[in-house]
Amino acid sequence: MLSANARREEIYHLAVTTGLASVEELSARFEVTASTIRRDLALLNGQGRLARTYGGAMALGAHPEASLRQRTGEAFEQKHAIARWAASVIRPGENILLDAGSTVGALAHELRGFEKLSVTTPGINTMQELADSEGIEVDCLGGRLRSLSQSFVGPLAEAALERMSFDRVFLGADAVTAEDGICEADHAQTRLKELMARRGNNVYVLADSSKLGMRPFHAWARLALPWTLVTNDGADPEKVQKFRDAGVQVEVAEVSTKASFAMRDRVPGLVAK
């Protein structure tokens, strides 16, 4: 029988080569209990090597960057709980910057109907959400379009930011750690996020609990303190504490099933699981 370390390495190898590892299949393969496999997966997840899924785990780095459309349906309730919290701190008359991404896009949806608000964004989904909101003035950061993220990046967007400042900046993230900040698939994205953060009086990173402490890619945006992490109430307390120990303010949004299902009913193509 393999040692625990050898078994975990083999689990990781299987996840990389097959894309998905099932608890039941792994339990039978290695002749150990399902609870032992779950502990292995939790450890690999904590190391940032695997992402936990329902019934198993998926290897991080084994799959390409997901598109915005794919990400919009993931962690739906959590993202909208985070968006509702973020919307609650915004005041009339403020000038805010909304990053690209699905969670920030959910925040844009929450802002529909706000009055006397100025929004700047590189994200096409935010532009679409707010295009017919009469009380909101929308400025768009131009640049090179990244089709996967449906957002603008590059020198033109960076140059525009140098002439702006904001009351609040809301950033999205593929992942976020207390040590290194925001993790993304593309260096142009991380460069733009760093510049965004520098232009805001108050900076928030909106990241659901599955993104905390993970390292799926190799491009990073380091953020100067102070900044605020906004996550959901399913977050691992130990991971949350790492951010607080690093001097990051953490806000935890409560997931309301009733509210999220009501929101889900207004979004075509999303089906309750």
Side-chain angles (χ1 to χ4, degrees), residues 151-247:
S151 64
F152 294 100
V153 296
L156 293 178
E158 295 169 11
L161 276 175
E162 293 296 332
R163 296 177 178 272
M164 301 177 179
S165 62
F166 305 94
D167 296 300
R168 303 181 195 275
V169 173
F170 296 91
L171 301 175
D174 285 338
V176 60
T177 73
E179 301 84 4
D180 295 316
I182 296 174
C183 182
E184 295 288 340
D186 181 77
H187 289 288
Q189 289 179 295
T190 54
R191 167 66 177 168
L192 189 62
K193 289 178 191 290
E194 287 184 349
L195 293 177
M196 288 178 174
R198 294 174 190 173
R199 307 306 295 171
N201 295 332
N202 300 278
V203 178
Y204 306 83
V205 176
L206 310 185
D208 69 77
S209 56
S210 69
K211 299 177 179 180
L212 304 189
M214 306 305 289
R215 298 172 176 272
F217 305 111
H218 298 285
W220 294 89
R222 290 185 176 273
L223 305 180
L225 294 172
W227 59 276
T228 301
L229 169 67
V230 187
T231 190
N232 60 279
D233 55 5
D236 183 335
E238 292 185 4
K239 292 183 178 180
V240 169
Q241 190 59 45
K242 286 185 178 180
F243 285 93
R244 289 181 170 141
D245 290 344

Side-chain angles (χ1 to χ4, degrees), residues 59-210:
L60 291 168
H63 304 278
E65 178 187 5
S67 69
L68 177 64
R69 184 170 183 175
Q70 289 172 312
R71 287 182 281 119
T72 298
E74 297 173 351
F76 186 90
E77 290 86 358
Q78 293 86 345
K79 290 177 180 179
H80 281 272
I82 291 167
R84 288 190 292 273
W85 185 96
S88 72
V89 303
I90 297 172
R91 299 291 176 259
E94 288 189 333
N95 186 16
I96 67 172
L97 174 61
L98 298 186
D99 193 7
S102 55
T103 309
V104 181
L107 171 56
H109 185 90
E110 292 291 328
L111 297 181
R112 292 169 60 89
F114 269 52
E115 298 290 340
K116 298 180 180 179
L117 200 63
S118 178
V119 174
T120 300
T121 183
I124 291 178
N125 58 339
T126 290
M127 298 176 199
Q128 292 173 330
E129 284 283 1
L130 301 179
D132 59 354
S133 296
E134 295 182 359
I136 300 179
E137 180 183 275
V138 180
D139 290 316
C140 307
L141 293 179
R144 175 175 57 85
L145 177 64
R146 290 192 79 247
S147 58
L148 277 174
S149 61
Q150 290 291 288
S151 64
F152 294 100
V153 296
L156 293 178
E158 295 169 11
L161 276 175
E162 293 296 332
R163 296 177 178 272
M164 301 177 179
S165 62
F166 305 94
D167 296 300
R168 303 181 195 275
V169 173
F170 296 91
L171 301 175
D174 285 338
V176 60
T177 73
E179 301 84 4
D180 295 316
I182 296 174
C183 182
E184 295 288 340
D186 181 77
H187 289 288
Q189 289 179 295
T190 54
R191 167 66 177 168
L192 189 62
K193 289 178 191 290
E194 287 184 349
L195 293 177
M196 288 178 174
R198 294 174 190 173
R199 307 306 295 171
N201 295 332
N202 300 278
V203 178
Y204 306 83
V205 176
L206 310 185
D208 69 77
S209 56
S210 69

Side-chain angles (χ1 to χ4, degrees), residues 36-52:
T36 297
I37 293 297
R38 291 190 183 95
R39 286 194 293 270
D40 289 340
L41 297 180
L43 180 62
L44 290 167
N45 174 256
Q47 294 173 345
R49 301 178 69 188
L50 295 183
R52 293 295 296 271

